Amino acid sequence: MEKKIGLTLSGGGARGFAHLGLLQVIEEKQIPIHILSGTSMGALVGAFWAKGYPAKQILEILKKFTLTSLLHLDWGKGLLNYAKVRKVLEKYFPENDFNALQKPLWIACTDLISTKTIYFSEKELLEPLIGSITIPPLARPVFWQNYELIDGGILDNVPAQIIRNQCDTLIVSHCNVPLKSKSKNIIQAFEQMFVAAVSKFAVQAQQIADMWFEPPEMKYFRFRDFRKADEIFQVGYQHAQKIFTEK
């Protein structure tokens, strides 16, 4: 019987482009991934890849996800335009169904009503996916069914446990290493605070992972470095090559 390999992709904003570097190496080495889990940027990358889009194509798609095209000025509703985000994603996921994906995928979201992490893996795809990348106050929560969904990285930034028992080998891709430089403004301070707050998830996930992917060079990149997507991709790609060569 073929052993099942699982892959977990952490949140991390623009740093999540490193996940695509890892996926590129996985494609080149033809490593069979049977199940995925992810949150925030990791959920977005995971959804595209589970649908069947190759890593380099996903890179080009996500580089076009410019914030200026998805924003509107309404502080009551948040800055991120839900309708625009959904319309963009509908182009790539027209079925809006987890079952239309080529690989099983678990998406982690934070539910503000229950203040718990909710994991989705069936039926409608887009609402959980958008919810998982929604960060207040940039966007209002996704009100869907009985949930009030926001970024899953807040309560589970490395959702590895949800698939641990569903695979024999678990690969975890984590991109939230502490920043190298000192905070120079409130945004940078927030980034440092977030990394410190979610570090416990990395510790827990690393304990159950069979292969741990964490490029140390990520300390030079920030969550909002979307213009450095190609550079971050290359950092992830080179680190993945090194990791798999050592294995």
Side-chain angles (χ1 to χ4, degrees):
M1 181 180 295
E2 183 181 17
K3 289 188 176 181
K4 292 186 176 181
I5 302 175
L7 174 63
T8 295
L9 306 175
S10 76
R15 287 175 159 195
F17 283 110
H19 296 320
L20 290 170
L22 168 62
L23 290 173
Q24 178 64 30
V25 172
I26 287 175
E27 291 173 9
E28 292 174 357
K29 293 185 175 296
Q30 298 183 329
I31 299 170
I33 301 297
H34 300 87
I35 186 170
L36 298 97
S37 64
T39 191
S40 196
M41 186 63 164
L44 191 61
V45 169
F48 274 97
W49 202 68
K51 177 66 175 175
Y53 296 99
K56 287 188 176 179
Q57 184 179 359
I58 300 172
L59 174 64
E60 295 306 313
I61 291 172
L62 295 186
K63 282 164 59 177
K64 297 177 183 178
F65 266 60
T66 57
L67 285 178
T68 53
S69 68
L70 301 176
L71 296 181
H72 65 169
L73 297 176
D74 186 339
W75 287 101
K77 295 182 178 180
L79 291 175
L80 196 63
N81 190 315
Y82 169 83
K84 286 186 177 180
V85 174
R86 199 180 195 286
K87 186 174 182 180
V88 169
L89 291 175
E90 283 175 348
K91 293 170 49 180
Y92 302 100
F93 305 95
E95 304 90 349
N96 186 24
D97 191 340
F98 275 93
N99 290 330
L101 303 178
Q102 296 179 10
K103 302 176 187 294
L105 169 70
W106 287 81
I107 291 177
C109 296
T110 299
D111 175 34
L112 290 179
I113 296 176
S114 65
T115 62
K116 295 180 179 179
T117 301
I118 308 296
Y119 303 93
F120 298 92
S121 65
E122 58 183 11
K123 299 182 179 178
E124 291 92 340
L125 169 67
L126 293 184
E127 276 65 36
L129 182 56
I130 297 172
S132 191
I133 62 174
T134 295
I135 306 175
L138 288 179
R140 66 184 301 178
V142 174
F143 299 96
W144 181 64
Q145 295 186 353
N146 295 319
Y147 303 113
E148 194 170 331
L149 304 175
I150 62 171
D151 193 328
I154 294 174
L155 294 181
D156 190 357
N157 195 51
V158 195
Q161 187 64 56
I162 192 66
I163 64 170
R164 173 64 275 191
N165 294 333
Q166 301 181 57
C167 57
D168 301 291
T169 300
L170 177 62
I171 303 171
V172 176
S173 182
H174 179 254
C175 55
N176 289 315
V177 298
L179 295 167
K180 179 68 173 177
S181 59
K182 294 182 179 180
S183 301
K184 297 180 180 179
N185 53 52
I186 189 64
I187 295 177
Q188 293 179 9
F190 176 80
E191 288 181 307
Q192 293 284 39
M193 179 186 71
F194 178 80
V195 171
V198 302
S199 61
K200 63 178 181 179
F201 303 121
V203 173
Q204 294 168 355
Q206 191 168 13
Q207 291 175 344
I208 64 173
D210 297 298
M211 184 177 292
W212 183 253
F213 174 81
E214 184 184 76
E217 294 84 0
M218 296 312 299
K219 63 187 177 183
Y220 299 112
F221 298 97
R222 300 188 177 280
F223 297 124
R224 51 198 172 90
D225 280 342
F226 288 94
R227 293 183 179 180
K228 298 181 180 180
D230 291 309
E231 187 178 350
I232 296 173
F233 173 89
Q234 285 300 322
V235 167
Y237 179 76
Q238 292 169 9
H239 185 70
Q241 285 185 314
K242 178 181 177 181
I243 291 294
F244 282 105
T245 298
E246 292 176 349
K247 291 292 181 179

